Short mmCIF file of all heavy atoms in Angstrom, two decimals:
data_model
loop_
_atom_site.label_atom_id
_atom_site.label_comp_id
_atom_site.label_asym_id
_atom_site.label_seq_id
_atom_site.Cartn_x
_atom_site.Cartn_y
_atom_site.Cartn_z
N VAL A 347 22.34 19.97 -9.46
CA VAL A 347 20.93 20.35 -9.50
C VAL A 347 20.76 21.70 -8.81
O VAL A 347 21.30 21.92 -7.73
CB VAL A 347 20.05 19.29 -8.81
CG1 VAL A 347 18.57 19.64 -8.96
CG2 VAL A 347 20.33 17.91 -9.38
N THR A 348 20.03 22.61 -9.43
CA THR A 348 19.86 23.93 -8.85
C THR A 348 18.72 23.93 -7.83
O THR A 348 17.81 23.10 -7.89
CB THR A 348 19.55 24.99 -9.93
OG1 THR A 348 18.28 24.68 -10.55
CG2 THR A 348 20.64 25.02 -10.99
N ALA A 349 18.79 24.88 -6.91
CA ALA A 349 17.71 25.04 -5.94
C ALA A 349 16.39 25.33 -6.66
O ALA A 349 15.32 24.83 -6.27
CB ALA A 349 18.06 26.16 -4.97
N LYS A 350 16.47 26.12 -7.71
CA LYS A 350 15.29 26.47 -8.49
C LYS A 350 14.60 25.21 -9.02
O LYS A 350 13.37 25.11 -9.00
CB LYS A 350 15.70 27.37 -9.66
CG LYS A 350 14.55 27.88 -10.50
CD LYS A 350 15.07 28.60 -11.75
CE LYS A 350 15.98 29.75 -11.41
NZ LYS A 350 16.40 30.48 -12.63
N CYS A 351 15.40 24.24 -9.46
CA CYS A 351 14.83 23.00 -9.99
C CYS A 351 14.06 22.25 -8.92
O CYS A 351 13.00 21.69 -9.20
CB CYS A 351 15.95 22.13 -10.55
SG CYS A 351 15.39 20.55 -11.25
N PHE A 352 14.57 22.24 -7.69
CA PHE A 352 13.86 21.56 -6.61
C PHE A 352 12.48 22.18 -6.39
O PHE A 352 11.53 21.48 -6.04
CB PHE A 352 14.68 21.59 -5.32
CG PHE A 352 15.61 20.42 -5.17
CD1 PHE A 352 16.90 20.48 -5.64
CD2 PHE A 352 15.18 19.24 -4.58
CE1 PHE A 352 17.76 19.39 -5.52
CE2 PHE A 352 16.02 18.15 -4.45
CZ PHE A 352 17.32 18.23 -4.92
N GLY A 353 12.37 23.46 -6.59
CA GLY A 353 11.06 24.11 -6.49
C GLY A 353 10.11 23.59 -7.55
O GLY A 353 8.94 23.31 -7.27
N HIS A 354 10.61 23.44 -8.77
CA HIS A 354 9.77 22.95 -9.86
C HIS A 354 9.39 21.49 -9.68
O HIS A 354 8.28 21.08 -10.04
CB HIS A 354 10.48 23.17 -11.20
CG HIS A 354 10.44 24.59 -11.67
ND1 HIS A 354 9.43 25.09 -12.46
CD2 HIS A 354 11.28 25.64 -11.43
CE1 HIS A 354 9.64 26.37 -12.71
NE2 HIS A 354 10.77 26.73 -12.09
N LEU A 355 10.30 20.69 -9.11
CA LEU A 355 9.97 19.29 -8.82
C LEU A 355 8.87 19.20 -7.77
O LEU A 355 7.95 18.38 -7.86
CB LEU A 355 11.22 18.54 -8.35
CG LEU A 355 12.38 18.45 -9.35
CD1 LEU A 355 13.56 17.71 -8.72
CD2 LEU A 355 11.95 17.79 -10.64
N THR A 356 8.96 20.07 -6.75
CA THR A 356 7.93 20.10 -5.71
C THR A 356 6.58 20.49 -6.29
O THR A 356 5.54 19.92 -5.94
CB THR A 356 8.32 21.09 -4.60
OG1 THR A 356 9.60 20.72 -4.06
CG2 THR A 356 7.29 21.13 -3.49
N LYS A 357 6.60 21.44 -7.21
CA LYS A 357 5.35 21.88 -7.85
C LYS A 357 4.69 20.73 -8.59
O LYS A 357 3.46 20.60 -8.58
CB LYS A 357 5.64 23.02 -8.82
CG LYS A 357 4.41 23.64 -9.47
CD LYS A 357 4.77 24.82 -10.34
CE LYS A 357 3.53 25.45 -10.97
NZ LYS A 357 3.88 26.62 -11.83
N GLN A 358 5.50 19.86 -9.20
CA GLN A 358 4.93 18.69 -9.88
C GLN A 358 4.27 17.74 -8.87
O GLN A 358 3.19 17.20 -9.14
CB GLN A 358 6.02 17.94 -10.65
CG GLN A 358 6.55 18.69 -11.86
CD GLN A 358 7.45 17.83 -12.71
OE1 GLN A 358 7.11 16.68 -13.03
NE2 GLN A 358 8.58 18.37 -13.10
N LEU A 359 4.90 17.54 -7.72
CA LEU A 359 4.34 16.64 -6.72
C LEU A 359 3.00 17.15 -6.19
O LEU A 359 2.16 16.34 -5.76
CB LEU A 359 5.33 16.47 -5.56
CG LEU A 359 6.65 15.76 -5.88
CD1 LEU A 359 7.53 15.71 -4.64
CD2 LEU A 359 6.39 14.35 -6.41
N LEU A 360 2.80 18.45 -6.21
CA LEU A 360 1.55 19.01 -5.71
C LEU A 360 0.34 18.63 -6.57
O LEU A 360 -0.80 18.84 -6.17
CB LEU A 360 1.66 20.54 -5.61
CG LEU A 360 2.57 21.04 -4.49
CD1 LEU A 360 2.82 22.54 -4.63
CD2 LEU A 360 1.97 20.73 -3.12
N LYS A 361 0.60 18.07 -7.74
CA LYS A 361 -0.49 17.60 -8.59
C LYS A 361 -1.04 16.26 -8.09
O LYS A 361 -2.09 15.81 -8.54
CB LYS A 361 0.00 17.44 -10.03
CG LYS A 361 0.49 18.73 -10.67
CD LYS A 361 1.07 18.46 -12.06
CE LYS A 361 1.63 19.74 -12.68
NZ LYS A 361 2.25 19.47 -14.01
N LEU A 362 -0.31 15.64 -7.16
CA LEU A 362 -0.72 14.34 -6.62
C LEU A 362 -1.53 14.53 -5.34
O LEU A 362 -1.39 15.53 -4.64
CB LEU A 362 0.51 13.49 -6.31
CG LEU A 362 1.46 13.20 -7.48
CD1 LEU A 362 2.76 12.61 -6.95
CD2 LEU A 362 0.81 12.27 -8.50
N ALA A 363 -2.36 13.56 -5.02
CA ALA A 363 -3.07 13.49 -3.73
C ALA A 363 -3.79 14.78 -3.37
O ALA A 363 -3.85 15.16 -2.19
CB ALA A 363 -2.07 13.11 -2.62
N ASP A 364 -4.34 15.46 -4.38
CA ASP A 364 -5.05 16.73 -4.15
C ASP A 364 -4.17 17.73 -3.39
O ASP A 364 -4.67 18.52 -2.58
CB ASP A 364 -6.35 16.49 -3.38
CG ASP A 364 -7.37 15.71 -4.19
OD1 ASP A 364 -7.42 15.92 -5.43
OD2 ASP A 364 -8.11 14.89 -3.61
N GLY A 365 -2.87 17.67 -3.66
CA GLY A 365 -1.96 18.63 -3.05
C GLY A 365 -1.55 18.31 -1.63
O GLY A 365 -0.88 19.12 -0.98
N ARG A 366 -1.90 17.13 -1.14
CA ARG A 366 -1.51 16.76 0.23
C ARG A 366 -0.06 16.25 0.20
O ARG A 366 0.20 15.06 0.05
CB ARG A 366 -2.46 15.70 0.80
CG ARG A 366 -3.86 16.22 1.08
CD ARG A 366 -4.71 15.18 1.80
NE ARG A 366 -5.05 14.09 0.90
CZ ARG A 366 -6.13 14.06 0.13
NH1 ARG A 366 -6.97 15.08 0.14
NH2 ARG A 366 -6.38 13.02 -0.65
N VAL A 367 0.86 17.18 0.30
CA VAL A 367 2.29 16.89 0.20
C VAL A 367 3.00 17.41 1.46
O VAL A 367 2.79 18.56 1.86
CB VAL A 367 2.91 17.55 -1.05
CG1 VAL A 367 4.42 17.31 -1.12
CG2 VAL A 367 2.23 17.03 -2.31
N VAL A 368 3.79 16.55 2.08
CA VAL A 368 4.54 16.91 3.28
C VAL A 368 6.03 16.76 2.99
O VAL A 368 6.47 15.71 2.53
CB VAL A 368 4.16 16.01 4.48
CG1 VAL A 368 5.00 16.38 5.70
CG2 VAL A 368 2.67 16.12 4.79
N LEU A 369 6.80 17.82 3.22
CA LEU A 369 8.25 17.76 3.07
C LEU A 369 8.90 17.79 4.45
O LEU A 369 8.56 18.64 5.27
CB LEU A 369 8.77 18.94 2.25
CG LEU A 369 8.82 18.76 0.73
CD1 LEU A 369 7.41 18.69 0.16
CD2 LEU A 369 9.57 19.91 0.07
N ALA A 370 9.82 16.86 4.69
CA ALA A 370 10.58 16.85 5.94
C ALA A 370 12.06 17.01 5.58
O ALA A 370 12.60 16.22 4.81
CB ALA A 370 10.37 15.55 6.70
N LEU A 371 12.69 18.04 6.12
CA LEU A 371 14.10 18.28 5.83
C LEU A 371 14.92 17.10 6.32
O LEU A 371 14.88 16.74 7.50
CB LEU A 371 14.57 19.57 6.50
CG LEU A 371 16.04 19.93 6.29
CD1 LEU A 371 16.35 20.14 4.82
CD2 LEU A 371 16.39 21.19 7.09
N GLU A 372 15.67 16.48 5.39
CA GLU A 372 16.43 15.29 5.76
C GLU A 372 17.92 15.51 5.71
O GLU A 372 18.64 15.18 6.65
CB GLU A 372 16.06 14.13 4.83
CG GLU A 372 16.75 12.83 5.18
CD GLU A 372 17.36 12.15 3.97
OE1 GLU A 372 16.93 12.44 2.85
OE2 GLU A 372 18.26 11.32 4.18
#
Side-chain angles (χ1 to χ4, degrees):
V347 184
T348 64
K350 184 188 303 183
C351 180
F352 270 91
H354 284 270
L355 298 179
T356 303
K357 185 176 181 180
Q358 291 189 47
L359 294 178
L360 289 170
K361 298 175 183 178
L362 302 168
D364 293 324
R366 291 187 289 271
V367 178
V368 178
L369 272 68
L371 179 61
E372 183 227 339

